[in-house]
C-alpha cells in the first residue's frame, strides 16, 4: 500500500487541494509576521513575543478546542476558522499597506490567530478521518504532512518575493487569499464524501477526561509523551540551524535557506514512507523517535558540509516518519467520539512545549555553542525513547510474572482479544494498570 492510494477518494482529493493552498499561506504568513515584528521594533525579543502569543492559547485551550470538534460538525468548525483567519490576516494586510500598523497590532493579531489555532488544529487533525475510510487514515495523515513540507519550499519563497517587491502588507494579502482554497474545498464536499463521527455528549472537564482516557491506554500515553519530548526539545531547528550555519560553517542566510530545503526534502520522503506502513505498533514509533534523536546528535558533530547535509536530510526523513506514524496511530487507537479531545491534548504537548524548550535551547546554544545546543536537541529525545523501551520491557516482565505466561503466551493472549490485527505492543491492560506503573 502506498500513500497515494488515498487519492482514490474524491472527498480527500478536494480537501487536500484546499489544504495545499492553506499550507502555502501559512508559510507565507509565518515569514511575513516575524519580519514585520522585527522591522517595527528592530528587536528579536519582539519576534519571540509574537511567536509565544501564537502558541500560548493552545496551552490553555487546546483540549477544549478538541472538545468542540467532538461535539459539533467538523466541517462547520473549519469553515468558521478559515473565515476568521482570512478576516484577521486581511485586516493586518490593510493596516500594513496603509502604513498605520504598530507592534501592538501585531501582538493582538498573533494572540487572536493563536485562539483560532487552538480550535482549528485539533479539528483539522481529526477531520481526515471523516473524508477517508479508517483503513486509509494513515495514508491521509502522511500525504497531508508531505504536502505541508512541499509548501514549505513554496510559501517562504513567495513571501520573500512579495516582501522584496511589493512590501510586507501584500504578503499578508496573499496569505488571506490562500484561505479561499480550503473554504471553497470544504463547501464542495458532498454528503457522500463524509463519514462524520457521532457527536459526543457534553462533558465538563475536557482536559481531565482526555487525560484519564490517555492514561488508561499505554500505547497512546507513551506515544503522546514521546511526541511532547520531541516537540519541546528536538524541534528547535530555527535556533540551532541558524547558529550552525553562521557559527560552525561561517555561512550566511543563503546557507540557512539551503538547510531548510534539504530538511524539507527529507521530511517529504519520510512522510511518504509512513504512508506505506500498514500496521500500528508502538515499537516502530519509538524506533523512529530514537533515530530522530540519534541522527540529530550525529549531525551536531558533523565536521563539514558534505557530511552535515546528508545527515540533515536523514533528520528530516525520520522526523516526519515519526510525526506521521505517531499522529495516525493515536487516531486509530482511540474511539471516534474521543478523537477531538485526545488530538487536542496531542497538539497541546506537541506545540505547547515550544515556549518552554525554545528559550532553554537558545540559552544553551548562546552559552555553549551551536553544536552543543543541537546535540542536546538530539540526546534528550534519544534518551526518552530508550527510557520508554526499558519501561516497556519491565512492564512486559510484570505481565509475564503476574499471569504465569511466557512472552509468546502473552502475545497469543493479546491476539485472542479484540485488539486490531498486527497489534503486538500493548501489554495486558489489567496487569499494566495494576502493576506496570507502580
Amino acid at each position: 500500500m502506498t500513500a497515494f492510494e488515498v487519492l482514490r477518494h474524491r472527498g480527500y482529493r478536494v480537501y487536500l487541494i484546499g489544504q495545499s493552498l492553506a499550507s502555502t499561506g501559512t508559510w507565507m504568513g509565518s515569514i511575513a509576521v516575524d519580519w514585520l515584528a522585527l522591522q517595527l521594533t528592530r528587536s528579536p525579543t519582539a519576534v519571540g513575543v509574537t511567536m509565544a502569543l501564537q502558541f500560548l492559547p493552545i496551552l490553555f485551550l487546546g483540549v477544549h478546542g478538541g472538545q468542540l470538534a467532538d461535539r459539533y460538525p467538523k466541517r462547520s468548525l473549519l469553515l468558521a476558522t478559515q473565515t476568521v483567519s482570512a478576516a484577521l490576516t486581511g485586516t493586518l494586510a490593510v493596516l500594513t499597506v496603509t502604513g498605520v500598523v504598530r507592534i501592538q497590532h501585531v501582538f493582538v493579531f498573533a494572540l487572536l490567530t493563536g485562539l483560532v489555532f487552538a480550535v482549528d488544529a485539533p479539528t483539522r487533525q481529526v477531520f481526515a478521518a471523516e473524508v477517508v475510510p479508517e483503513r486509509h487514515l494513515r495514508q491521509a495523515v502522511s500525504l497531508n504532512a508531505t504536502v505541508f513540507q512541499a509548501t514549505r519550499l513554496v510559501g517562504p519563497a513567495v513571501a520573500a518575493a512579495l516582501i522584496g517587491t511589493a512590501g510586507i502588507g501584500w504578503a499578508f494579502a496573499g496569505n488571506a487569499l490562500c484561505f479561499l482554497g480550503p473554504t471553497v474545498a470544504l463547501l464542495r464536499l458532498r454528503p457522500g464524501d463524509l463519514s462524520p463521527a457521532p457527536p459526543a455528549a457534553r462533558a465538563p472537564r475536557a482536559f481531565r477526561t482526555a487525560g484519564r482516557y490517555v492514561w488508561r491506554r499505554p500505547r497512546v500515553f507513551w506515544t503522546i509523551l514521546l511526541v511532547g519530548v520531541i516537540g519541546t526539545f528536538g524541534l528547535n531547528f530555527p535556533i540551532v540551524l541558524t547558529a550552525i550555519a553562521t557559527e560552525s560553517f561561517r555561512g550566511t542566510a543563503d546557507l540557512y535557506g539551503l538547510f531548510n530545503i534539504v530538511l524539507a526534502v527529507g521530511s517529504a520522503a519520510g512522510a511518504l514512507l509512513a504512508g506505506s506502513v500498514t500496521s500500528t505498533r508502538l515499537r516502530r514509533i519509538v524506533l523512529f523517535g530514537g533515530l530522530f534523536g540519534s541522527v540529530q546528535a550525529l549531525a551536531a558533530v558533523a565536521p563539514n558540509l558534505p557530511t552535515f547535509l546528508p545527515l540533515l536530510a536523514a533528520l528530516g526523513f525520520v522526523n516526519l516518519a515519526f510525526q506521521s506514524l505517531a499522529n495516525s496511530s493515536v487516531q486509530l487507537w482511540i474511539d471516534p467520539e474521543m478523537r477531538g479531545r485526545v488530538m487536542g491534548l496531542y497538539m497541546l504537548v506537541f506545540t505547547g512545549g515550544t515556549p518552554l524548550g525554545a528559550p532553554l535551547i537558545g540559552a544553551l546554544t548562546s552559552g555553549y555553542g551551536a553544536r552543543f545546543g543541537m546535540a542536546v536537541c538530539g540526546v534528550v529525545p534519544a534518551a526518552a525513547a530508550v527510557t520508554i523501551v526499558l519501561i516497556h520491557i519491565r512492564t512486559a516482565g510484570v505481565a509475564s510474572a503476574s499471569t504465569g505466561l511466557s512472552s509468546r503466551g502473552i502475545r497469543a493472549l493479546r491476539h485472542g482479544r479484540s485488539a486490531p490485527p498486527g497489534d503486538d505492543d500493548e501489554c495486558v491492560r489489567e496487569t499494566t494498570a495494576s502493576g506496570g506503573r507502580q
Side-chain angles (χ1 to χ4, degrees), residues 276-290:
S276 65
V277 175
T278 57
S279 62
T280 58
R281 296 183 178 180
L282 176 63
R283 67 178 68 175
R284 186 175 284 115
I285 295 170
V286 176
L287 172 64
F288 276 107

Side-chain angles (χ1 to χ4, degrees), residues 28-37 40 50 54 84-113 167-176 179:
M28 291 173 59
S30 176
I31 296 293
V33 74
D34 291 345
W35 191 259
L36 178 60
L40 289 173
T50 302
Q54 288 175 309
V84 174
S85 295
L88 290 173
T89 309
T91 301
L92 188 60
V94 171
L95 292 173
T96 306
V97 170
T98 56
V100 299
V101 68
R102 298 291 182 269
I103 190 61
Q104 292 85 353
H105 299 140
V106 177
F107 289 160
V108 171
F109 169 80
L111 181 60
L112 292 177
T113 54
I168 299 178
W170 294 104
F172 288 121
N175 183 12
F179 286 112

